[in-house]
Structures are given as structure tokens and as C-alpha cells.
Amino acid sequence: MNMFYFILIIFIIAAGSNGEYHPPLKGMQYFSITCKTPEQLSLLRSLTNNPNVLTLKLSQILGESADILVTADESSQFKNILLLYKIDHTIITDDVEHVVHEEALKNNIVRMQSSRITLNKLSAEPFDYYPRYHEMEEYITFLAKNYSEIVSVDSIGTSFQNRTLYVIKISSGGDNKPQILIDAGIHAREWIAPSTALYAVHQLVTNQSNTYLYKNVDWLIIPSLNPDGYEYTHSNYRFWRKTRSINKGSTCIGTDANRNFDLKWMTVGASSNPCSETYGGPKPFSEVETLALKDYVMANNKTIKAYLTLHSYGQYLLHPWGYTSDLPENEPELRSVAERAAAALAAPFGTRYTIGSSTNVLYAAAGGSDDWLMGVAGANLSYTVELPGGRFDPPPSRIEFVGIETFEAFKVFQEYIEKTFVN
Ligand code: 0X9
Ligand code: ZN
């Protein structure tokens, strides 16, 4: 072999198949950090601005824990800074890789034991494990076929890697009814979100006592808006967040779809670096997935009255704006409906959510789907629902509980739409 090819091969091996960098999980530490002063919090925020630091949860609220993953290489320096600034912290695990493997193994065991698999049976029952995308597709197709009086399934477009983006419409029929739009999975690694969306579908479709919920109001549910990223978290890298599109002139992949919507795009809390976790893309709606949502919403914007986008984690019910700390005009209404929704959600198991605007509760970040739906597309209500976590996501045994309690909140939004828009 001549020298040129030898060097080329070494280069390709060193770079990985496409040169993508993922913060290595081996020896990665999981920090739970509590800031007591605004100075500590702003220092912590600056520490997260590092490709070897992954932020799973970080809020503006002093005294509330932040969950941060730090690679083995970086962790002792990270820890020393926390010590120097007397920032309280504990290490939840110092081997994230092990926890990730364990989580995947447990999920697979539950899948193998699930009646869906053992009985080789398609059903409208909710998933008791985190499904792969093809399993969601089978589920959706099954519903469309077996509950065709109330369920219709459409494609709103295809993902970068050509996966179908589905919307499940649950309706008793008739035109121009007010609609509630729910999407999930914009962020790939937030596995609980698609499962919670599908749990709501299951409740609406199979529970006879829920038929009143779609008598006068249509439900539009997009269970996974970023299937490429979702699949990648199952097959390659558990903490993938972005889409899987190719960035011209960079070996780094993907855009943060929740920084890619066209309202004050890139003004705050988004990066112009394609390697960043919060890369906003080369232009608004550069991603086929966000563009598909935009086109779908604009085709239905007269009827979409409320929008819920499911994320994880932290137990927050966030309303606009994400680009400014100013509150929207309809803040009193956003807040009061959210308070009723949070009370309903807490009823079954006591789960508590924090309510407020994205900027004031979490951080300022422009280009989110919630801001665009309310500020441009004209939805009356718009929320980001940060579902509960576990070590990363809740264990499969919790999927149903999260589904049950979140559905209670969904009912409150439905009730608001019915009372406000149906005469
Ligand atoms: O940062 C986000 O995109 C969301 N949090 S997450 O941990 N799931 O990544 C919050 C988005 C809140 N909405 C806006 N900033 N517009
Ligand atoms: Zn998210």
C-alpha cells in the first residue's frame, strides 16, 4: 500500500465515518448542581458553553438543581471550578456509559417481555418500553386502519433521511372545528416525549369515556418531529439532540430544530456554530422537519387554537416568550390555564410543575416552535411541556404514569378551547 492511501485510511479511522464528534461517554460524570446566587448561576452557564459539557436540565431558579454531564477529560477541571466558587454539587454517577448501556438493556428486556412482541400482536395499547421509530409507525398505521371512524393519519413531510413525519388526527368529523396541536420529539434524546404523545392517542382512541374530548375539538398529534435524531439516539449516541442534516462546510451534523423557527431567529440563546448543541441552522426553517411543521400549521392556522410541544425534562409548563423576558399580552390567560392544567396533572400522583415564561423560568432562547406558533401562526395558547426525567428519561415502567398525568393536563387545554371557541 502506498503511503498516501495508508495516511488516508488512518485519517478516516481517526475521524470516524464522517468526522462527527460526540463527547465520549466512557468515564463521563453526571453532576447535580445547585446554585445559590445569580453569580454562581451565570458562572455555571458559562461552563456549559463547552462541547464536552452536556446540559440536561438548567433553570433560572436559584436553589433548583441543574443536571450536567461532563466528559472524563474535562471533569476534574469542571469540579475544581465548582469547588473554587463554592457551588454545591453531587456526582450522581461517574460512569454515564454504564448507565446508558444499562438503560438500553432494560428497555430491550421490557420490549422482549412486552405482550406486543410475545404475542406478536399489534394493538392500540400504549408502549410499555421506548419504541423504535418503525414500531411507532406500525402503531400509527394500525390505528388508522382499525379506528378509521375517528383516526386519520397523514404525512406532513419527510425527514432529512427520508422518514415519514406523521400527524394523527382524532376527530368526530366536520370542518373548521377548533384544533389542539401537540408535537413531540423535536429533541431526539427526550424519549419520554413521543411516548407521552402516543399515550394520549391511545386514551382518546380506546377509552369510551373520552369521546366527549373530540366531539367539538379536533386533536392533531405529531408523535415524532425528529425521527432521524430519535433513531440515532437508539443506534449510535444516546445524547443526540439535533436533527441529522448535513451542514455545508462542516463535519458537524444537525441543527437544533428548536432554534430554527422564524421569530427573532438567532437573536439569543442559539449558536451559529454547526458543532454546537444549540446551532440555529443556516437560516430559519432550514430543516425539512421544521419547514414541514410550518407548512402544516400555516395550512391550518385559522383552526389551531392551542399548541403543546413535548420535551423533557424538568417538570415545567413554559409559555412564550423564549426570546425576551417581556411577557406576552395574554400572559394572564396563559398562566391561568397552565395553573389549572398543572393542578389536574398533579391530581393522580402529586407531580408538581413550575409555570412561567421560558425566558424567566429556564433561559432566553429564540427560534423555538412555541414562540413561532403563538407569535406568527397565531395560536391563542402555546406551551413547551418539559416532562419528568429519570436518570435520563424515566424508566419504561414510568411511561404509563407520565402518560396518565399529562393527559389530565391535556384535557384542561381541550376544555379551554371548547369553552372559548365552541358556541
Ligand atoms: O431549550 C429548549 O429548546 C427547551 N428545553 S430543553 O431542555 N428540552 O432543550 C426549552 C424551550 C423553551 N422555549 C423557547 N425557548 N422558545
Ligand atoms: Zn427539548
Side-chain angles (χ1 to χ4, degrees):
M1 191 189 307
N2 84 27
M3 200 56 181
F4 172 76
Y5 284 110
F6 180 73
I7 292 171
L8 187 69
I9 286 168
I10 296 294
F11 180 79
I12 290 169
I13 293 170
S17 57
N18 54 12
E20 253 192 290
Y21 175 76
H22 296 317
L25 301 186
K26 192 153 195 55
M28 183 182 259
Q29 297 195 323
Y30 181 154
F31 287 83
S32 172
I33 302 166
T34 311
C35 294
K36 291 207 197 80
T37 65
E39 294 71 33
Q40 289 185 337
L41 191 60
S42 79
L43 178 86
L44 180 61
R45 282 191 191 283
S46 66
L47 290 178
T48 62
N49 215 345
N50 175 334
N52 287 317
V53 175
L54 293 175
T55 308
L56 296 185
K57 180 181 151 213
L58 178 55
S59 87
Q60 208 69 283
I61 301 162
L62 294 174
E64 197 172 272
S65 70
D67 291 350
I68 313 276
L69 306 179
V70 186
T71 60
D73 280 359
E74 211 85 25
S75 66
S76 66
Q77 181 170 308
F78 186 86
K79 199 174 162 186
N80 285 338
I81 298 175
L82 296 181
L83 289 170
L84 189 66
Y85 287 87
K86 299 192 168 51
I87 302 180
D88 288 350
H89 61 277
T90 45
I91 295 173
I92 306 284
T93 168
D94 49 18
D95 192 1
V96 167
E97 186 178 48
H98 177 75
V99 179
V100 165
H101 285 160
E102 210 175 59
E103 185 194 54
L105 196 68
K106 282 190 181 147
N107 196 47
N108 281 333
I109 292 171
V110 183
R111 175 188 276 106
M112 285 179 327
Q113 291 170 339
S114 172
S115 60
R116 294 174 172 280
I117 307 294
T118 50
L119 304 174
N120 191 20
K121 170 173 88 109
L122 284 168
S123 87
E125 291 311 300
F127 285 98
D128 46 4
Y129 57 90
Y130 291 109
R132 296 296 290 258
Y133 196 62
H134 75 89
E135 295 176 297
M136 288 191 214
E137 290 188 296
E138 285 160 12
Y139 183 79
I140 295 166
T141 315
F142 173 84
L143 295 178
K145 214 172 128 202
N146 290 272
Y147 298 86
S148 56
E149 333 74 66
I150 49 164
V151 178
S152 54
V153 173
D154 278 313
S155 158
I156 65 161
T158 44
S159 68
F160 185 79
Q161 293 173 342
N162 238 4
R163 293 185 174 88
T164 304
L165 303 168
Y166 297 96
V167 59
I168 305 164
K169 180 173 177 179
I170 299 165
S171 167
S172 59
D175 293 329
N176 300 319
K177 287 183 176 173
Q179 298 178 314
I180 176 169
L181 173 65
I182 301 176
D183 69 30
I186 284 190
H187 286 146
R189 65 188 176 213
E190 298 165 6
W191 287 0
I192 189 67
S195 297
T196 303
L198 290 176
Y199 183 85
V201 174
H202 147 77
Q203 270 298 330
L204 290 165
V205 169
T206 63
N207 191 339
Q208 282 307 307
S209 62
N210 286 330
T211 53
Y212 76 96
L213 291 168
Y214 54 83
K215 188 167 175 274
N216 298 315
V217 172
D218 291 346
W219 295 70
L220 311 171
I221 302 182
I222 301 171
S224 173
L225 201 56
N226 179 10
D228 300 348
Y230 183 77
E231 277 299 293
Y232 197 75
T233 63
H234 281 268
S235 60
N236 291 59
Y237 188 69
R238 175 66 179 90
F239 296 111
W240 190 253
R241 169 179 167 97
K242 301 188 284 180
T243 61
R244 292 295 303 162
S245 59
I246 290 166
N247 292 310
K248 273 202 194 107
S250 170
T251 53
C252 292
I253 298 288
T255 286
D256 183 346
N258 213 32
R259 300 290 181 276
N260 194 235
F261 287 76
D262 196 7
L263 179 64
K264 305 279 174 186
W265 178 74
M266 284 296 263
T267 51
V268 64
S271 170
S272 55
N273 176 357
C275 301
S276 162
E277 288 266 282
T278 53
Y279 176 50
K283 59 177 187 194
F285 297 118
S286 58
E287 305 309 286
V288 286
E289 295 84 358
T290 55
L291 189 62
L293 184 68
K294 174 199 170 190
D295 291 344
Y296 182 69
V297 168
M298 288 321 274
N300 294 285
N301 71 338
K302 297 269 177 314
T303 41
I304 293 173
K305 304 297 181 193
Y307 171 65
L308 304 172
T309 180
L310 308 187
H311 287 249
S312 73
Y313 57 83
Q315 294 166 214
Y316 303 109
L317 253 174
L318 306 170
H319 62 69
W321 304 112
Y323 72 86
T324 172
S325 58
D326 295 350
L327 294 173
E329 259 174 38
N330 59 342
E331 185 269 346
E333 187 163 50
L334 287 164
R335 167 164 291 278
S336 80
V337 182
E339 276 167 0
R340 293 202 300 278
L345 189 152
F349 315 114
T351 308
R352 301 261 159 227
Y353 272 62
T354 305
I355 297 164
S357 87
S358 298
T359 303
N360 296 320
V361 172
L362 280 195
Y363 37 73
S369 65
D370 48 2
D371 281 6
W372 183 82
L373 253 288
M374 197 174 91
V376 181
N380 294 64
L381 299 181
S382 178
Y383 299 92
T384 292
V385 185
E386 295 281 356
L387 296 164
R391 268 191 300 190
F392 306 122
D393 273 295
S397 57
R398 298 293 309 166
I399 294 174
E400 189 179 1
F401 293 90
V402 175
I404 291 170
E405 64 186 15
T406 314
F407 190 64
E408 292 306 311
F410 292 173
K411 287 186 198 167
V412 173
F413 295 111
Q414 187 280 347
E415 186 188 27
Y416 160 88
I417 297 182
E418 179 143 9
K419 284 211 170 117
T420 316
F421 301 103
V422 181
N423 36 40

